[in-house]
Amino acid sequence: MLNDRSSTLALLATRRSGKPREMVAPGPDAVELDTILAIAARTPDHGKLFPWRMVVVPADHRDALGRLLLDALAVEDPDCLAAKRDAAIEFATQAPALVVLVSAPVVGHKIPLWEQELSSGAVAMNLLTATHALGFVGGWITGWPTYSEIVRAAFCEPGQRIAGFFFLGSPGRPLEERPRPDMGRIVSIWTGGDKG
């Protein structure tokens, strides 16, 4: 049991995000991706509402995603530079695998919306952790496509939002460690009447 605990903690301590534009093949195959998605769904979910959806964008539909992004730019930012249009195509076609996470809250339910949105965030973290556990790297990307009404409509029902685009693959170069918070600044002990 101790070795299992140690290896789990080591796994969690070494998870890092990768830059999708630097990801290379191989990515997770169909069975591995199913495993990642099943683990992602094992998340706290007060009320058992499943207030989220995961949409896989297969490799043979990435060009269609690129066209969708260009169509959105044509409407939402018609004067954008060619570089932004090129970046949209790169966004759609980078990394071997892509999952779009949709926040799909059950509106009007007794479970508060905030709790349902937090559950979607927990799915995101499980997805990244499972990806890492299988030896791949993941990157959770938002940016303008996440907030575009045209892109949202292609993935979401009314009342739903895109929580992020999750690109999965193998790192094309060693991952860099990012600065981590000073624990003394983000952890405190509550002592009663003040905020700690």
Side-chain angles (χ1 to χ4, degrees):
M1 185 69 151
L2 183 58
N3 284 341
D4 287 347
R5 245 186 249 158
S6 297
S7 60
T8 300
L9 291 173
L11 174 79
L12 295 172
T14 56
R15 194 215 64 80
R16 289 177 286 185
S17 295
K19 295 177 182 175
R21 68 179 174 271
E22 296 177 352
M23 292 180 193
V24 297
D29 63 24
V31 172
E32 291 166 327
L33 187 56
D34 284 348
T35 298
I36 289 168
L37 299 179
I39 291 171
R42 293 182 64 88
T43 190
D45 173 17
H46 190 190
K48 302 175 188 68
L49 301 177
F50 316 114
W52 22 260
R53 302 287 178 268
M54 293 172 277
V55 182
V56 177
V57 181
D60 61 351
H61 286 75
R62 294 292 201 89
D63 289 340
L65 176 59
R67 289 190 297 275
L68 171 67
L69 298 184
L70 291 178
D71 290 346
L73 280 176
V75 172
E76 298 169 6
D77 191 3
D79 299 323
C80 72
L81 298 175
K84 188 169 183 179
R85 291 190 295 273
D86 292 343
I89 295 298
E90 180 185 357
F91 183 92
T93 56
Q94 62 192 349
L98 172 58
V99 177
V100 181
L101 176 61
V102 173
S103 174
V106 179
V107 179
H109 196 276
K110 67 178 183 179
I111 304 302
L113 178 64
W114 174 235
E115 291 186 27
Q116 296 184 52
E117 291 172 337
L118 288 172
S119 181
S120 181
V123 169
M125 194 64 236
N126 275 4
L127 194 156
L128 292 173
T129 302
T131 298
H132 177 58
L134 284 173
F136 300 105
V137 64
W140 177 358
I141 304 297
T142 54
W144 74 265
T146 306
Y147 302 102
S148 162
E149 285 301 312
I150 292 171
V151 178
R152 184 200 59 75
F155 287 94
C156 303
E157 299 295 327
Q160 301 178 352
R161 294 188 290 178
I162 296 174
F165 293 82
F166 290 77
F167 294 93
L168 316 176
S170 296
R173 64 186 190 90
L175 299 177
E176 297 175 8
E177 184 57 64
R178 61 177 281 184
R180 301 296 173 181
D182 174 356
M183 298 305 290
R185 294 188 60 156
I186 64 167
V187 177
S188 61
I189 306 295
W190 188 70
T191 57
D194 60 22
K195 295 179 183 175

